[in-house]
Amino acid sequence: MDQQRLIDVRDLRVQFPVEGGVVKAVDGVSWHIDRGETLAIVGESGSGKSVSALSLLRLTELGGGRIVSGEIEFRRKSGAVVDMVQQPLPVLRDIRGNEISMIFQEPMTSLNPVFTIGFQIVEAIRLHQGKSRREADELALEMLNLVRMPEAEKRLDEYPHQLSGGMRQRAMIAMSLACRPALLIADEPTTALDVTIQAQILDLIKTLQREIGMAVLFITHDMGVVAEMADRVVVMYRGEKVEEGPVEEIFHAPQHPYTKALLDAVPRLGAMRGQPLPMKFPNLEYGRDASEPATAAKPAADAAPRPADAGPLLEVDGLVTRFPVGGGLLGKPKAAIHAVENISFSLGVGETLALVGESGCGKSTTARTILRLQEPTRGRVVFGGRDITKLGRGAMESVRRQMQMIFQDPFASLNPRLSVADLIGEPLRIHNLASGKALQDRVADLLRRVGLGPEHARRYPHEFSGGQRQRICIARALALNPNLIVADEAVSALDVSIQAQIVNLMLDLQAEFGISYLFVSHDLAVVERISHRVAVMYLGQIVELGPRAAVFEDPRHPYTRKLMSAVPVADPRQRRTDLRLMTDEIPSPLKPWGFEPETLPLEEVSPGHFVMPH
Amino acid sequence: MIALILKRLVATAFVMAFVAFFVFGLLHLAPGDPAAVIAGDIATKEDIERIRATLGLDLPFHTQFLNWLGAIMQGDLGTSIFSGRPVSELILQRVEPTLALTTTTILLSVVVAIPLGIAAAWRAGSWIDRTMMGFAVLGFSVPVFVFAYLLIMVFAAQLKLVPVMGYVSPFKDLGGFLRAIALPTVALGVTYVALIARITRASMLEAINQDYIRTAHAKGLGIVPILFRHALRNASVPIVTTVGIGIALLIGGVVVTESVFAIPGLGRLTADSILRRDYPIVQGVILIFSGIYVLINLTIDIIYILVDPRIRY
Amino acid sequence: MAIDTSAPSAGAMARVGQAMRWLRRHPTVLAGLVILLTVTLMAVFAPLFTIYDPQRLDPLQRLKPPSAEHWFGTDQLGRDVFARTVYGSRVSLIVGFTVAAFACIVGLVIGLVSGFIRVLDPVVMRIMDGLMAIPAILLAIAIVGITRSSIWAVVIAVTIPEVPRVVRLVRAIVLTLREQLFVDAAVSLGAKLPRILFVHVMPNTMAPLIVQATYVCASAIIIEAILSFLGAGTPPAIPSWGNMMAEGRTYVLVGWWLLLFPGLLLSLVVLAVNLLGDGLRETLDPRLRRSTNNE
């Protein structure tokens, strides 16, 4: 093996036994990593990227996976080259956490909830380094400082649930780097984090990689993160490697049709520059018919023409939603979560307004409050000319015919015991709009509209893929011909290719029926594609509101700017070079009971573009 | 945290109040007139009325309930219809054998069941697991007294290793105690072992499939610290809770076991009193057993509130 | 791109075939079903299984060990133990099945009410906690004590301690279902409470409830046997496995067959019900399924 080579994977095959056969999770894949290098393995769900990573440490065996053939040669610190596939467990344990470390997607569940952060780091140190208790304690503190953990000393004695998501991932990194490994495997380490926290963690990994001189294997589905992090890239699709190359080549001269399709489906922040209206993704369908030539992106022409002077369909005025916390049967609550804090906006007919922000900013609560799945603390929601916050149950049910919701998790929002026909027909039944043959015809028609066939009507949700389930949800939302659809992170849980299809479908439906969307999302790049106007939320308030082009091309509020700059751009040439080792956290929306924050009215900086004074 | 403990205390008080009310209601509804029973066969109507008045049985229901509750608070559980002696005195006489039997059973069961459950979870799907699960189903299915007689037939009647029945106090003869208590302990423990082994397996299995166990593997930890430090600590809440809740099962079993093995404990007292229709004793024993059960579970809850870092406020 | 392929849906015939294949892969469940069916047939058609009258005394044939004539021997009064065991199955099965049905129906109703009507919830749950604080056997004894001894008194006495367990199960499921997105989705479609209750919530409680019913059934059979064994159960005139063993206990050293056969049958039936329950749970409980196929 080449002296520079750290790990060499050859013809790796990993299989999982299932009823009546095996799943070939990884099927004959080869790649290598040199010292100090960053290799990214990228792919959608089911591509085998995570299994590849886990099999390096033979952790696939925990889930019943078996390495059926291939070699994983690793150069140990001693210089000896060993084949990980053949090593007995004691040797593996000596390498795990010591020479090869791993961090995972969910820092909350990956840390043991009943032990302190300090204990878990010290455990790893003492296991491999034979240090005394005191030396290990000192090193643990040093590691927490190294990962720029705020108030490191205090954190040693804290439990995982007392830390924020970003701090938990810092603790995981501290634990895995305590033994100065030659290779760090990072399996989707930022996927569960907010975009500003993601930027911090990515920068931290880059910095530490330089300081420690380790190689990194980065597993991700996010092309933006790949462009940000990788030296070389391996693209996987259904257990096979479809392409490998330096990051520049992968992004700018992709060879394989799947790589091309994947890159086309990736929403890129800034791709819509100079384009005022929503635009569909180029309609590439790899896997359905790979030979079909890519159709060019069709902009405004088949996107919705926005009716200029139609009055607003929805007006939200001074909306406040708070959740009381603490206090029992006796006495008033101790505190309240200020989820939505005095927000106002309007939404026109056939228009898409996006609510963007990070977790906890109140965007989902706003959506739920507008549909009165959550009662507002105060404020008005005027829909079709009347305030619906005061409506009684019966009146509200008739309003609900005109406003529908699509949720993030399509599987959870479909009752598993009902067939697709019953699910899509449910709103029609509830409002006594159709029955018998008419109902069947309507369901078949709706299925066609969302790209499914009438033959799907008799099946159950578990028989469909994630994208198909979201199509079913959309069909159900369309059943009543609503004027407004509230989409709460409706494409966030989907693979990029499926996400692109659903966005295109939503744009088609808007063009056809003139539906208004309130599009709630944390993903700025998708928002840029789909929306006419954008509202940026932070801590329950709207800090910036305006036409999409204005907000994206001329962000005025510091938070909007921070948010924009934190999004990794799917282009290695635009990689950030200044590593900012920030550790700031999103403040808590928990406030003492009775607290009334000061809210400033938005100022208009250009026509229709409002910014909160700062 | 203190608020949480207070909440549990208040809830427990409500539960005990309901139990007391329920038990008293049953006593009240029981057929037969205690006054008539106490007065005897040759008493006149006036005699019975007089006894009724002295017992306070002519008072309205709620007054009687409050009087009864007041008496209980002072340790007065009423008088046995059969022997005419105070129920509390009769119960005190019978506490030792029952306490001895339940203690040995709980100890034996926990020591046997938890390692079995851990082994089964660790090797889920293997022959160890299947054998253990098979025994657990059997343990749930064979009623205490059936198993007890099987043990007697084999170990006492055929092999003559231990006495058929009876009880020896450990303070008088420890060897004799152990021989006498062996079969009852095993008979009583089988269901309990099955219960604890199953919950141990299930909660260990759940813990083992968590992400933090994968992290522990990725750290390079061996199987022993992973199972006993990382997994068991997380799995312990349902296990300990089940040990506590299972005590209800154990108490039911005690009544039967003591009856089969002629152990002069509280269970035997209950069984005898049922046959004699001596309700004050039955009610007294139910009250005592329920109180102990509730207190044990309250203690477990409070310990967890104090110990578990995940419970906040 | 990677577009959605979907699995073929199963027809009715295929479902039956699926069930048969499933049974073949779960031999323990099959064994449980066979035992339960046999004993049920035995209970219903008892006179076809034995030529003896379970009540007929034969003073010349007292305490005879099992023989070709008396398969399970005779008891201290000369009655045929096999005949009494066959007839005794009736009590166990009646109690087991009716208690399971009653407890689940009552528990379902109370659980739904408690899960949906927030104001009632604390009160209902404290009462259930109270009932659960009294060990099941003692509670049953206390209830039987205030009624005249009959099989229906036993059914009621055994049902009451089982109800709180069902209530807690149903309520826990209702509380999780209430938080489910598909319930939110139904509300946003304009569904009213009855529709949410009967279309979206109740059907999803059925699978765990059926599993629970088997456990209630097994537990009820055991409690009935214990009550009869302690002399607080079915009247002595009706043979049941519990009171047969109670009558035979004096002869444990000389007439083992008096205890062994009813005890064996009793254990076998409870085992069959438990095996059935475990098999159903493995298939119906999504939590168990998830833990077996991770990654």
Side-chain angles (χ1 to χ4, degrees):
Chain A
M1 204 159 79
D2 188 329
Q3 276 303 313
Q4 273 309 304
R5 187 91 5 128
L6 185 66
I7 198 158
D8 202 347
V9 175
R10 280 192 299 272
D11 193 34
L12 182 69
R13 284 167 207 276
V14 186
Q15 301 185 346
F16 287 83
V18 289
E19 245 166 80
V22 292
V23 170
K24 295 177 180 175
V26 177
D27 201 23
V29 171
S30 306
W31 42 262
H32 63 88
I33 305 174
D34 287 338
R35 288 176 191 281
E37 184 186 37
T38 301
L39 177 73
I41 300 184
V42 66
E44 297 181 289
S45 48
S47 64
K49 57 186 190 304
S50 278
V51 175
S52 304
L54 288 167
S55 54
L56 292 194
L57 289 172
R58 298 246 310 269
L59 289 171
T60 34
E61 287 160 25
L62 298 177
R66 228 162 47 83
I67 298 178
V68 290
S69 75
E71 286 125 51
I72 301 171
E73 286 195 325
F74 172 66
R75 187 185 306 281
R76 299 198 58 175
K77 279 178 182 167
S78 62
V81 174
V82 295
D83 181 1
M84 298 291 283
V85 179
Q86 306 298 335
Q87 295 310 306
L89 211 53
V91 177
L92 283 181
R93 286 212 296 266
D94 195 34
I95 295 175
R96 288 175 181 170
N98 187 15
E99 301 183 34
I100 303 178
S101 285
M102 193 154 179
I103 56 175
F104 302 95
Q105 175 170 351
E106 289 287 347
M108 180 66 214
T109 56
S110 296
L111 288 165
N112 195 324
V114 299
F115 295 117
T116 60
I117 300 300
F119 175 89
Q120 299 188 52
I121 300 173
V122 165
E123 188 183 37
I125 294 170
R126 298 198 63 192
L127 185 67
H128 295 295
Q129 302 187 15
K131 284 194 155 65
S132 75
R133 190 62 192 254
R134 245 204 29 228
E135 288 170 324
D137 280 343
E138 280 165 16
L139 182 54
L141 181 59
E142 196 183 303
M143 290 312 298
L144 283 186
N145 281 321
L146 187 70
V147 298
R148 282 78 175 174
M149 176 76 89
E151 301 174 85
E153 198 147 1
K154 191 176 124 203
R155 306 295 171 204
L156 283 173
D157 295 322
E158 289 190 342
Y159 291 91
H161 71 256
Q162 293 169 293
L163 271 53
S164 71
M167 290 200 286
R168 283 179 207 136
Q169 198 58 293
R170 284 176 199 273
M172 270 300 285
I173 294 171
M175 188 170 84
S176 49
L177 299 190
C179 299
R180 311 255 155 179
L183 174 65
L184 174 70
I185 304 170
D187 185 2
E188 303 262 12
T190 56
T191 307
L193 302 175
D194 277 317
V195 62
T196 54
I197 308 297
Q198 162 170 294
Q200 293 175 11
I201 297 292
L202 292 180
D203 286 353
L204 177 69
I205 292 175
K206 274 196 231 175
T207 312
L208 294 176
Q209 181 176 19
R210 222 171 282 160
E211 288 176 14
I212 296 176
M214 64 184 176
V216 174
L217 173 60
F218 213 99
I219 310 295
T220 183
H221 71 283
D222 187 333
M223 291 307 267
V225 173
V226 175
E228 193 73 40
M229 300 295 288
D231 298 323
R232 280 187 310 115
V233 181
V234 167
V235 183
M236 285 188 72
Y237 179 67
R238 295 196 179 167
E240 289 173 34
K241 178 174 83 176
V242 296
E243 190 161 357
E244 178 181 4
V247 66
E248 284 266 338
E249 272 175 38
I250 292 288
F251 277 86
H252 295 290
Q255 298 302 309
H256 195 276
Y258 175 72
T259 315
K260 291 179 188 166
L262 191 62
L263 284 167
D264 277 336
V266 173
R268 276 167 224 232
L269 194 61
M272 302 276 291
R273 196 163 280 272
Q275 180 56 252
L277 293 177
M279 192 163 81
K280 286 172 71 174
F281 285 95
N283 201 11
L284 269 177
E285 294 193 350
Y286 181 79
R288 186 186 264 173
D289 185 3
S291 63
E292 192 185 332
T295 46
K298 287 184 198 159
D302 63 334
R306 201 181 132 204
D309 292 319
L313 174 71
L314 173 77
E315 263 188 291
V316 173
D317 184 18
L319 195 67
V320 176
T321 307
R322 290 173 192 160
F323 302 99
V325 173
L329 295 167
L330 339 148
K332 57 183 181 198
K334 292 188 192 76
I337 293 174
H338 287 223
V340 180
E341 199 51 72
N342 192 19
I343 71 171
S344 308
F345 62 82
S346 66
L347 175 64
V349 175
E351 186 189 39
T352 302
L353 172 71
L355 286 181
V356 296
E358 297 182 284
S359 55
C361 74
K363 57 191 190 301
S364 283
T365 310
T366 306
R368 293 175 59 88
T369 310
I370 287 169
L371 273 100
R372 281 186 65 198
L373 290 174
Q374 176 65 49
E375 292 298 327
T377 306
R378 63 170 176 264
R380 295 194 317 145
V381 175
V382 180
F383 180 76
R386 56 178 174 163
D387 183 2
I388 60 170
T389 57
K390 303 284 187 298
L391 291 184
R393 211 172 260 201
M396 193 60 212
E397 265 148 25
S398 65
V399 169
R400 286 205 166 114
R401 284 170 56 171
Q402 295 156 51
M403 51 204 301
Q404 290 295 310
M405 187 151 180
I406 313 172
F407 300 89
Q408 171 170 7
D409 183 348
F411 192 49
S413 60
L414 297 171
N415 186 341
R417 306 217 156 242
L418 296 183
S419 70
V420 167
D422 286 337
L423 286 164
I424 297 179
E426 183 170 24
L428 299 167
R429 279 215 191 85
I430 290 171
H431 299 283
N432 284 323
L433 293 176
S435 61
K437 185 80 178 68
L439 183 71
Q440 274 178 32
D441 289 347
R442 180 82 176 116
V443 168
D445 179 50
L446 286 164
L447 279 170
R448 249 193 318 274
R449 286 248 185 272
V450 297
L452 295 170
E455 72 277 7
H456 291 105
R458 287 172 58 195
R459 297 189 192 162
Y460 289 82
H462 70 264
E463 298 176 62
F464 293 89
S465 68
Q468 286 177 316
R469 286 179 198 141
Q470 199 58 292
R471 287 172 191 267
I472 295 168
C473 290
I474 293 174
R476 177 172 64 181
L478 287 176
L480 296 170
N481 292 322
N483 301 325
L484 169 66
I485 290 183
V486 176
D488 185 5
E489 299 277 11
V491 299
S492 304
L494 305 174
D495 277 329
V496 280
S497 55
I498 310 295
Q499 174 178 306
Q501 291 173 19
I502 299 292
V503 167
N504 283 0
L505 173 67
M506 288 179 70
L507 287 172
D508 284 342
L509 294 170
Q510 184 170 54
E512 195 173 353
F513 301 109
I515 304 168
S516 304
Y517 292 122
L518 184 63
F519 191 84
V520 176
S521 178
H522 71 280
D523 189 335
L524 286 163
V526 172
V527 162
E528 190 185 21
R529 276 269 160 195
I530 203 169
S531 52
H532 296 97
R533 286 192 305 137
V534 177
V536 180
M537 286 189 71
Y538 180 66
L539 278 177
Q541 304 186 359
I542 291 178
V543 295
E544 188 154 359
L545 169 72
R548 191 257 303 148
V551 174
F552 275 71
E553 284 160 35
D554 181 22
R556 294 296 185 88
H557 195 275
Y559 178 73
T560 314
R561 286 195 193 134
K562 182 178 163 186
L563 206 56
M564 300 271 176
S565 71
V567 178
V569 180
D571 181 356
R573 286 175 192 163
Q574 294 181 36
R575 188 179 285 190
R576 296 193 313 261
T577 44
D578 57 319
L579 298 185
R580 300 145 304 173
L581 292 169
M582 295 179 303
T583 58
D584 49 336
E585 298 276 337
I586 301 165
S588 165
L590 190 71
K591 297 279 186 296
W593 186 249
F595 175 79
E596 281 301 332
E598 184 192 5
T599 48
L600 302 165
L602 301 183
E603 287 168 2
E604 189 161 15
V605 290
S606 65
H609 188 176
F610 299 87
V611 178
M612 178 174 280
H614 48 271
Chain B
M1 194 146 69
I2 287 163
L4 201 60
I5 292 173
L6 276 177
K7 232 182 233 176
R8 287 291 298 131
L9 283 174
V10 170
T12 306
F14 271 113
V15 167
M16 275 322 288
F18 174 80
V19 171
F21 184 75
F22 192 80
V23 166
F24 179 78
L26 286 176
L27 181 73
H28 206 77
L29 287 172
D33 185 345
V37 176
I38 291 168
D41 293 337
I42 51 160
T44 61
K45 221 174 171 195
E46 287 73 41
D47 290 337
I48 295 174
E49 282 305 320
R50 210 174 46 247
I51 292 171
R52 177 166 295 161
T54 39
L55 290 177
L57 292 177
D58 51 350
L59 299 168
F61 179 83
H62 65 271
T63 322
Q64 281 192 48
F65 175 62
L66 290 178
N67 288 345
W68 179 79
L69 207 59
I72 286 179
M73 295 293 179
Q74 290 159 15
D76 176 9
L77 289 170
T79 313
S80 160
I81 295 174
F82 181 76
S83 68
R85 290 163 61 197
V87 171
S88 46
E89 186 190 314
L90 289 169
I91 286 180
L92 268 180
Q93 283 172 1
R94 305 289 195 103
V95 164
E96 184 209 299
T98 303
L99 209 60
L101 176 59
T102 43
T103 311
T104 52
T105 306
I106 293 175
L107 284 179
L108 183 78
S109 306
V110 168
V111 166
V112 170
I114 291 184
L116 273 182
I118 294 176
W122 173 44
R123 285 278 173 253
S126 72
W127 66 269
I128 301 178
D129 181 28
R130 282 201 300 271
T131 316
M132 200 228 73
M133 291 303 282
F135 274 117
V137 179
L138 266 179
F140 273 130
S141 304
V142 182
V144 184
F145 59 100
V146 176
F147 192 64
Y149 279 117
L150 276 176
L151 288 174
I152 290 177
M153 283 173 199
V154 176
F155 293 97
Q158 293 295 316
L159 301 174
K160 303 202 188 313
L161 289 175
V162 286
V164 174
M165 37 190 70
Y167 173 78
V168 180
S169 170
F171 303 110
K172 287 185 188 133
D173 172 7
L174 193 62
F177 165 75
L178 289 177
R179 249 175 295 140
I181 209 82
L183 289 192
T185 302
V186 174
L188 181 57
V190 164
T191 320
Y192 203 46
V193 167
L195 180 76
I196 300 173
R198 262 173 88 134
I199 193 73
T200 304
R201 177 186 180 272
S203 35
M204 279 297 282
L205 211 53
E206 201 185 323
I208 284 173
N209 281 309
Q210 297 295 316
D211 288 349
Y212 55 77
I213 295 298
R214 188 179 57 188
T215 308
H217 280 286
K219 253 184 199 181
L221 283 173
I223 193 68
V224 173
I226 286 178
L227 283 180
F228 286 85
R229 198 187 300 155
H230 284 262
L232 190 58
R233 261 301 290 275
N234 280 281
S236 62
V237 179
I239 297 174
V240 176
T241 310
T242 305
V243 169
I245 289 171
I247 285 171
L249 202 73
L250 207 61
I251 290 170
V254 163
V255 179
V256 183
T257 312
E258 290 186 354
S259 167
V260 170
F261 290 96
I263 297 171
L266 283 176
R268 180 76 189 286
L269 178 68
T270 320
D272 291 346
S273 307
I274 295 163
L275 292 177
R276 294 176 192 141
R277 310 267 152 189
D278 197 344
Y279 295 115
I281 294 187
V282 178
Q283 319 294 6
V285 173
I286 291 180
L287 212 56
I288 296 275
F289 273 143
S290 306
I292 290 172
Y293 170 76
V294 168
L295 277 182
I296 289 176
N297 283 291
L298 176 70
T299 315
I300 290 175
D301 278 3
I302 291 180
I303 288 174
Y304 262 108
I305 292 172
L306 295 175
V307 169
D308 196 320
R310 283 167 295 187
I311 298 173
R312 276 171 290 177
Y313 299 109
Chain C
M1 308 195 35
I3 202 106
D4 329 315
T5 50
S6 41
S9 78
M13 281 309 287
R15 292 249 164 88
V16 175
Q18 236 174 2
M20 295 314 286
R21 270 198 304 283
W22 181 81
L23 272 180
R24 216 168 302 147
R25 272 185 288 109
H26 296 78
T28 54
V29 181
L30 189 62
L33 269 178
V34 169
I35 295 172
L36 213 56
L37 277 177
T38 315
V39 177
T40 310
L41 285 176
M42 204 168 86
V44 176
F45 302 107
L48 299 181
F49 278 75
T50 172
I51 52 165
Y52 292 100
D53 176 349
Q55 305 293 13
R56 207 193 54 158
L57 312 179
D58 188 349
L60 297 176
Q61 294 285 325
R62 283 187 301 177
L63 284 176
K64 294 282 184 239
S67 62
E69 206 178 325
H70 296 286
W71 296 347
F72 287 1
T74 60
D75 69 4
Q76 69 285 0
L77 299 172
R79 293 174 296 192
D80 181 65
V81 176
F82 180 70
R84 290 180 70 74
T85 309
V86 167
Y87 280 89
S89 62
R90 290 181 167 177
V91 171
S92 286
L93 291 187
I94 289 174
V95 171
F97 292 155
T98 44
V99 168
F102 285 177
C104 285
I105 292 167
V106 175
L108 176 66
V109 173
I110 301 180
L112 286 176
V113 167
S114 189
F116 261 93
I117 305 175
R118 280 277 160 84
V119 255
L120 286 180
D121 187 50
V123 181
V124 174
M125 288 325 285
R126 286 297 86 73
I127 292 176
M128 294 301 137
D129 285 348
L131 283 178
M132 283 182 78
I134 306 174
I137 291 168
L138 294 180
L139 181 56
I141 287 172
I143 296 167
V144 170
I146 60 166
T147 56
R148 218 169 301 139
S149 143
S150 77
I151 191 162
W152 296 110
V154 172
V155 167
I156 292 168
V158 180
T159 303
I160 291 175
E162 297 290 352
V163 165
R165 277 157 260 269
V166 182
V167 170
R168 290 189 96 161
L169 175 82
V170 173
R171 174 179 172 271
I173 299 170
V174 169
L175 290 187
T176 24
L177 284 175
R178 281 179 65 131
E179 302 296 312
Q180 291 292 306
L181 222 43
F182 66 77
V183 172
D184 272 349
V187 172
S188 71
L189 292 172
K192 296 183 182 71
L193 187 65
R195 185 175 181 89
I196 289 168
L197 204 57
F198 292 111
V199 176
H200 294 288
V201 172
M202 228 166 75
N204 283 297
T205 63
M206 281 304 138
L209 198 63
I210 289 168
V211 174
Q212 186 71 12
T214 64
Y215 294 137
V216 169
C217 176
S219 153
I221 293 174
I222 290 183
I223 294 180
E224 183 281 322
I226 289 176
L227 288 182
S228 295
F229 178 78
L230 292 175
T234 44
I238 306 170
S240 79
W241 294 333
N243 64 26
M244 284 173 72
M245 291 188 71
E247 287 170 24
R249 58 191 296 190
T250 335
Y251 308 94
V252 58
L253 295 178
V254 291
W256 51 268
W257 57 90
L258 293 181
L259 292 159
L260 186 67
F261 292 115
L264 222 52
L265 256 289
L266 174 59
S267 309
L268 209 59
V269 168
V270 178
L271 180 66
V273 177
N274 276 330
L275 288 177
L276 196 64
D278 282 356
L280 285 174
R281 185 164 70 135
E282 213 174 282
T283 316
L284 297 177
D285 192 335
R287 275 173 308 168
L288 275 177
R289 220 178 309 155
R290 197 183 46 202
S291 62
T292 49
N293 52 6
N294 48 332
E295 172 64 293

